[in-house]
Amino acid sequence: MADKKYIVSIDQSTQGTKMLLFDQNGRVVTRVDRPHRQIINELGWVSHDMDEIYDNIISGLKELLARTDIHSKEIAAVGISNQRETTVAFGSSGKPFCPAIVWQCGRAANIVKQMEAEAETVRRITCLPLSPFFPAAKMRWLLENDCMGIDSKELHMGTVDSYLVYRLTGGKVFATDASNASRTQLMDLDTINWSQELCTLFRIPAETLPEIMDSNGNFGETDFEGVLDHKVPIRCVMGDSHGALYGQCCHESGMMKTTYGTGSSMMLNTGKRKITSRHGLASSLAWRIDGVPNYVLEGNINYTGAVVSWLKDDLGLIRSAKEVNELCLQANPEDSTIFVPAFTGLSAPYWNDAAKAAVLGMSRTTKKAEFAKAAVESIAQQVTDVFEAMVPDFGAGIKVLRADGGPTGNPYLMQFQSDMAGCGILVPDAEELSAIGVAYLAGITAGIYDKETVFQNISYREYQPDMPLSVREKKRNDWKEAIRTVIGKT
């Protein structure tokens, strides 16, 4: 008993929080899920209650331990992955000043519009396109609205990870990791420090920002508000997409993954080479481990898995996500319906904030199954748009795409993805790669796991292209024409 060591992995995502317990061999012992509210107002602004999310972590750990006979003394380390660009403002007590602005939320669009002349400066320093998607504009919006007048010495602003670390350590550590910092649009991607030039441009006091640390840095200790009878170190923090890249074992240049969640993040590991995209993509840090930075090309898509949630929760067309695969198989394959889910504009590689969602090509014979098929296919088409932008930026072809996230359980989607991208798709048998990535890195850093063996726990299902080239080309051309139509209407 005494030599057993367990890792707690917190995966704080857009729809909820997952708490997972990993054993000393890197296998999941048990898991607890806690959903939280999606607060959407009449203007379409999307917010989260951070107190609710933090309470879910504490109650989730209680349930996690209650499901096992593991003694809390056997918990050795903690890893955290988080929804990335979601932005939090809170005080020295840890109490949020207002609901967090979720990454999807475009309320800072007017701020970005006013800063259009600075777009090239922002891109030069961060390798990110100027957009309300990123926290910098969200922070400025907070300073001009919900946080107006708050003393900068009291104000703490950051992404979700910095808030969680602060709360879990009782305010002793206010820090973010390099992967999350690279997504704020305030970090210099060369120096991996906050850019004073950008802080000035966005009118954000640098003293309100967290310390930037290695992804496997020492983020302090926590006992989860006394749930554990001892304090354990937080030994890994990464944005969820970065955690998934690490968990997918994409540790070498040229390896690529897509996380299918509410939205999607596609990442291509470019190693020590920082690439400035010429095709609407972003460069970020994959991670910084033991002081060594590793870069990625990335494309983000606002609505992928959320499209299925929309079919279920808002349209009432399905009762569960599992129904979608059957409907796709039942649908008329000749139906020409195309759905472009630009609910909050188009992100990579188009970056058109004004685009609106649209349905094109419907006929009188288009029914529920055909509409569901169009919605599912929109996920793969958007991913393929980013995939096709990455190849010329990287300068080499990509033969395999590793995929993770809930929607990868849909065989129709994965086969269609392989057909559209024209490459193999590898889907791991393990779920929640973001949680696996931070658990494994925390365990490796704490000396519990051996990097060479722990990743052998994961095996993959493979999909290969099986669609006639002429059919694929027509589907891609029809999709691109639909995109041109949507953009042309803005």
Side-chain angles (χ1 to χ4, degrees):
M1 282 291 283
D3 61 346
K4 289 187 177 179
K5 301 291 184 182
Y6 295 86
I7 306 292
V8 171
S9 182
I10 303 168
D11 181 12
Q12 203 301 292
S13 63
T14 309
Q15 298 294 324
T17 302
K18 307 171 192 71
M19 305 288 293
L20 295 92
L21 193 64
F22 288 77
D23 66 16
Q24 62 270 24
N25 298 312
R27 299 186 183 278
V28 176
V29 176
T30 189
R31 162 182 164 175
V32 170
D33 290 49
R34 288 280 195 274
H36 58 258
R37 291 173 297 148
Q38 305 300 308
I39 305 168
I40 305 173
N41 72 3
E42 67 279 0
L43 297 174
W45 295 355
V46 189
S47 304
H48 286 161
D49 181 340
M50 293 309 302
D51 280 331
E52 178 187 6
I53 287 173
Y54 183 71
D55 290 345
N56 283 345
I57 288 174
I58 302 304
S59 64
L61 182 62
K62 289 179 181 177
E63 183 177 346
L64 202 69
L65 293 175
R67 289 185 177 185
T68 73
D69 58 359
I70 294 168
H71 194 281
S72 68
K73 287 185 180 296
E74 296 174 306
I75 306 298
V78 178
I80 299 174
S81 75
N82 60 283
Q83 50 171 319
R84 294 182 303 168
E85 291 82 7
T86 295
T87 304
V88 189
F90 57 98
S92 297
S93 67
K95 184 71 176 176
F97 287 116
C98 53
I101 303 178
V102 178
W103 58 271
Q104 292 170 310
C105 185
R107 74 183 74 174
N110 286 338
I111 289 172
V112 167
K113 189 173 183 180
Q114 295 165 15
M115 296 180 64
E116 285 178 351
E118 313 294 347
E120 187 50 43
T121 297
V122 172
R123 179 181 285 277
R124 172 178 56 82
I125 298 172
T126 69
C127 286
L128 301 174
L130 180 64
S131 171
F133 176 85
F134 298 108
K138 290 175 165 64
M139 289 180 187
R140 179 168 163 185
W141 189 95
L142 286 169
L143 288 166
E144 294 178 355
N145 293 274
D146 293 346
C147 297
M148 181 180 288
I150 296 174
D151 191 325
S152 63
K153 294 180 181 178
E154 169 67 12
L155 182 61
H156 299 67
M157 292 197 297
T159 43
V160 170
D161 61 308
S162 62
Y163 167 79
L164 295 181
V165 167
Y166 191 90
R167 288 291 302 269
L168 287 169
T169 62
K172 292 181 179 178
V173 178
F174 180 41
T176 186
D177 97 293
S179 73
N180 278 292
S182 73
R183 302 296 298 174
T184 60
Q185 205 148 72
L186 291 171
M187 192 194 85
D188 187 315
L189 198 57
D190 288 321
T191 66
I192 313 181
N193 291 311
W194 299 123
S195 165
Q196 187 56 57
E197 183 176 0
L198 291 179
C199 286
T200 300
L201 283 178
F202 282 98
R203 303 177 195 168
I204 295 167
E207 62 267 25
T208 65
L209 301 174
E211 176 188 358
I212 300 173
M213 296 178 61
D214 284 354
S215 304
N216 67 335
N218 190 342
F219 291 85
E221 295 182 324
T222 182
D223 61 5
F224 292 91
E225 305 286 350
V227 175
L228 302 181
D229 57 10
H230 69 300
K231 291 185 180 294
V232 295
I234 303 171
R235 290 315 316 258
C236 176
V237 171
M238 280 196 277
D240 51 9
S241 295
H242 310 259
L245 187 75
Y246 192 83
Q248 285 273 31
C249 205
C250 292
H251 302 161
E252 304 296 330
S253 180
M255 300 184 77
M256 183 178 184
K257 70 89 196 175
T258 297
T259 297
Y260 296 78
T262 302
S264 284
S265 164
M266 297 185 69
M267 282 186 170
L268 172 63
N269 190 328
T270 62
K272 296 180 180 179
R273 183 165 60 116
K274 184 192 76 173
I275 297 174
T276 300
S277 175
R278 295 173 290 108
H279 298 89
L281 304 176
S283 281
S284 301
L285 280 178
W287 43 72
R288 189 177 68 184
I289 296 174
D290 297 332
V292 180
N294 195 112
Y295 292 91
V296 290
L297 271 174
E298 180 173 5
N300 296 97
I301 304 165
N302 288 348
Y303 280 86
T304 51
V307 172
V308 177
S309 299
W310 177 69
L311 293 178
K312 177 174 71 74
D313 300 332
D314 297 285
L315 298 188
L317 290 181
I318 57 175
R319 292 186 299 272
S320 72
K322 293 180 180 179
E323 291 182 39
V324 174
N325 186 67
E326 294 180 10
L327 286 171
C328 290
L329 295 174
Q330 295 168 10
N332 179 0
E334 302 301 321
D335 185 82
S336 59
T337 303
I338 295 175
F339 174 51
V340 181
F343 293 114
T344 54
L346 289 170
S347 46
Y350 304 105
W351 297 106
N352 188 304
D353 298 329
K356 301 293 183 182
V359 180
L360 302 92
M362 288 180 66
S363 71
R364 181 61 183 84
T365 60
T366 301
K367 300 182 177 64
K368 180 169 75 171
E370 287 73 27
F371 192 86
K373 179 173 75 74
V376 168
E377 290 183 352
S378 77
I379 298 173
Q381 292 283 21
Q382 291 178 97
V383 167
T384 304
D385 288 344
V386 175
F387 182 88
E388 291 180 348
M390 282 187 169
V391 172
D393 273 341
F394 185 60
I398 302 161
K399 296 181 179 180
V400 175
L401 172 62
R402 300 187 184 213
D404 59 86
T408 62
N410 184 323
Y412 181 89
L413 170 60
M414 289 297 98
Q415 183 58 56
F416 190 75
Q417 184 68 81
S418 179
D419 290 332
M420 291 301 99
C423 73
I425 306 292
L426 292 179
V427 180
D429 58 356
E431 295 182 355
E432 309 307 339
L433 271 295
S434 298
I436 288 173
V438 295
Y440 282 9
L441 184 53
I444 291 166
T445 304
I448 296 167
Y449 299 148
D450 174 62
K451 184 179 177 182
E452 301 303 317
T453 59
V454 72
F455 286 95
Q456 296 176 13
N457 289 326
I458 303 172
S459 58
Y460 293 85
R461 303 192 308 277
E462 186 173 359
Y463 296 84
Q464 288 292 336
D466 191 36
M467 181 180 286
L469 183 60
S470 60
V471 177
R472 176 194 182 272
E473 289 179 346
K474 183 176 189 313
K475 285 185 175 292
R476 287 295 294 154
N477 289 336
D478 289 348
W479 169 260
K480 291 175 183 178
E481 181 59 34
I483 292 290
R484 284 191 288 268
T485 300
V486 168
I487 292 176
K489 290 179 178 179
T490 63

